Amino acid sequence: QEEEEQEADNFMFEFSDKPLLPSYNLQVSVSRGPCNWFLFSDVLKRLKLSSRIFQARFPHLEIATLPRAEFQRGGGLSQVLAQEEVPASPEPAGGGAETVELVHYEPELLQLLGGGVEYQAWSS
Amino acid sequence: HYFRYDEHVSLCLEKLSSSKDKSKAMLQQKYVRCSVRAQIRHLRRVLCHRLGLPLQHVQILFDSEPLPDHMTMKQLWLSRWFGK
C-alpha cells in the first residue's frame, strides 16, 4: 500500500516494442477526478480475449461504462490528442451501442499488454 | 503531485547514431508513454537506467537539436507537434 502511495508521486514511463494502444484521460463520474483509460475493445483485441474471459481472469481490473457522447466530448477536449485519434462513433446515431466500455490504465494491465513500466521521481 | 492521473503523451524514440553497442533495450522498446508533466531530464534518466549508460551519454534530440532538460512533454508537444 505504501509503495503504491509513493508510485503515485512518481512519473511512470511505459515502454513497449509495439505501438501503444491509445489511452484517454476521462472523468467517468462526478465523484472522481479525471484519470486514464483504455477502450476495453482495444485491449481485448490486443490480448485476443473475450470480454467474459478477461473479466473472469482479471476481476480486479476496473471496467467502466461511459455514454458514447460523453467519451467523444472528453476526448475532444484533450489538447494532446489529435482529432482523428478520437474514435468517431461507428454506429449510426440511435442504433447500436450508445455506451463505450473502458478499462482503467494501470501498471498490471500494461504488463499484460506486453509493456514495461519504469518510475522516475519528480525531484530526481 | 499524483502524476498518474495526468494526461499522457506517446513518443517513439529512434536512436540517432549508427553504433550498435548497448542500444538493444532502446531499440526493442522504443514506444514510450508518460505524463505530459514529465520533463526531458526524467526521460533521460529512465533511458540511462534502461541502457545502463551514464547520464552524460544520453541526449534527447528533436530535429537533431538537443532538448533542454527542464522542458516538459507538454511544452515539447505544443511547440513541435501541435496539430500534427
Side-chain angles (χ1 to χ4, degrees):
Chain A
Q1 190 67 43
E2 239 173 59
E3 200 174 296
E4 211 168 272
E5 287 294 307
Q6 248 177 358
E7 284 177 0
D9 264 318
N10 289 340
F11 285 116
M12 187 172 86
F13 286 80
E14 176 189 358
F15 285 86
S16 175
D17 53 349
K18 287 174 286 198
L20 300 160
L21 292 178
S23 64
Y24 304 92
N25 196 264
L26 296 164
Q27 183 165 11
V28 298
S29 78
V30 284
S31 57
R32 186 171 169 190
C35 53
N36 294 297
W37 302 85
F38 288 117
L39 273 178
F40 194 31
S41 55
D42 284 348
V43 171
L44 295 176
K45 206 185 286 173
R46 177 74 58 104
L47 294 175
K48 298 192 175 69
L49 287 178
S50 74
S51 161
R52 197 173 52 81
I53 290 173
F54 182 93
Q55 291 183 69
R57 256 190 231 173
F58 315 108
H60 50 289
L61 294 179
E62 189 188 353
I63 291 169
T65 303
L66 198 65
R68 185 174 293 278
E70 201 53 25
F71 170 74
Q72 281 164 334
R73 203 180 55 82
L77 288 178
S78 167
Q79 260 189 311
V80 294
L81 208 59
Q83 279 312 300
E84 57 273 19
E85 288 180 273
V86 182
S89 171
E91 287 92 2
E98 286 305 313
T99 58
V100 288
E101 281 191 301
L102 305 164
V103 54
H104 195 242
Y105 180 97
E106 51 191 294
E108 189 190 340
L109 181 56
L110 305 181
Q111 271 148 17
L112 283 177
L113 292 166
V117 174
E118 207 146 321
Y119 294 92
Q120 194 56 232
W122 175 82
S123 54
S124 73
Chain B
H1 303 295
Y2 286 94
F3 298 117
R4 65 163 67 186
Y5 304 124
D6 281 357
E7 265 200 277
H8 289 148
V9 284
S10 297
L11 307 163
C12 179
L13 305 172
E14 299 287 352
K15 192 170 183 296
L16 185 67
S17 89
S18 57
S19 67
K20 281 176 183 151
D21 54 342
K22 294 176 181 170
S23 58
K24 270 189 177 155
M26 184 153 140
L27 292 175
Q28 276 168 8
Q29 299 201 314
K30 62 177 185 175
Y31 296 99
V32 183
R33 170 158 38 210
C34 63
S35 158
V36 290
R37 283 194 283 167
Q39 298 169 14
I40 293 298
R41 65 192 174 110
H42 298 117
L43 181 59
R44 269 179 78 200
R45 277 176 198 277
V46 169
L47 288 179
C48 289
H49 185 237
R50 291 181 79 85
L51 298 168
L53 291 171
L55 193 61
Q56 60 271 28
H57 286 209
V58 173
Q59 263 198 327
I60 315 265
L61 309 175
F62 185 91
D63 280 348
S64 354
E65 181 195 320
L67 294 169
D69 259 357
H70 282 82
M71 182 179 242
T72 65
M73 295 303 154
K74 181 116 186 182
Q75 287 168 337
L76 173 64
W77 194 88
L78 288 173
S79 62
R80 315 293 160 107
W81 277 299
F82 186 71
K84 289 186 188 165

